[in-house]
Amino acid sequence: MDANSRGAADLLRALMRTAARFSETGRSLSDANFPHVRWSPISDLAGRAVRLGLELTLPGHEIVFELSVAVGTDGGFAVRGEIVLDGEDVFLDLPPAEAADVTACTAMLDRYADELIAPARAQVGRLLEECPS
């Protein structure tokens, strides 16, 4: 396997691992807060960009945890992440980060996924407490 093929395989594994982490988080939050929390995965490929994440639906709210990775024309990668409440309230906006190669991109994916997933349980708990009984 040549270096380009190995890089593509490494990137695909990293994207799959990130998608699995979001799915695991969505399932866990939904199971722990049944029937008040439903989840759906975000997994899109559009041109040179991939979107991964999850959407949680709670009584009166939707919260989206999303990571995007875009391939630049120079062969590098741009990674972004955000948590958005009800389609407009940005709870967390991770700055766009540039990664020159697949190894740096996978490290950035792991770090950004950690930063997006870490507050998920607390945010769901806070939103459920705010809901009228």
Side-chain angles (χ1 to χ4, degrees):
M1 183 182 294
D2 68 6
N4 286 337
S5 297
R6 193 173 12 259
D10 290 346
L11 182 57
L12 181 58
R13 276 192 293 278
L15 291 169
M16 290 171 54
R17 181 176 63 244
T18 301
R21 291 182 65 198
F22 281 117
S23 292
E24 196 174 286
T25 300
R27 267 193 302 278
S28 173
L29 289 169
S30 181
D31 290 348
N33 298 287
F34 181 80
H36 305 291
V37 176
R38 292 186 325 255
W39 80 281
S40 58
I42 296 171
S43 180
D44 294 332
L45 174 62
R48 301 175 68 89
V50 174
R51 289 178 44 226
L52 299 171
L54 69 115
E55 180 178 337
L56 298 172
T57 305
L58 298 82
H61 295 289
E62 289 181 351
I63 187 166
V64 175
F65 302 77
E66 183 179 307
L67 246 173
S68 65
V69 181
V71 179
T73 55
D74 61 354
F77 302 91
V79 181
R80 287 193 40 126
E82 65 183 5
I83 301 174
V84 178
L85 178 63
D86 298 329
E88 59 189 41
D89 219 4
V90 178
F91 170 73
L92 177 64
D93 188 11
L94 300 174
E98 299 292 323
D101 56 32
V102 171
T103 302
C105 183
T106 51
M108 187 62 60
L109 275 172
D110 288 340
R111 191 178 121 225
Y112 272 29
D114 288 344
E115 290 187 39
L116 293 176
I117 290 169
R121 191 164 302 282
Q123 286 303 308
V124 167
R126 181 183 63 80
L127 290 170
L128 287 175
E129 285 176 6
E130 292 175 0
C131 290
S133 297

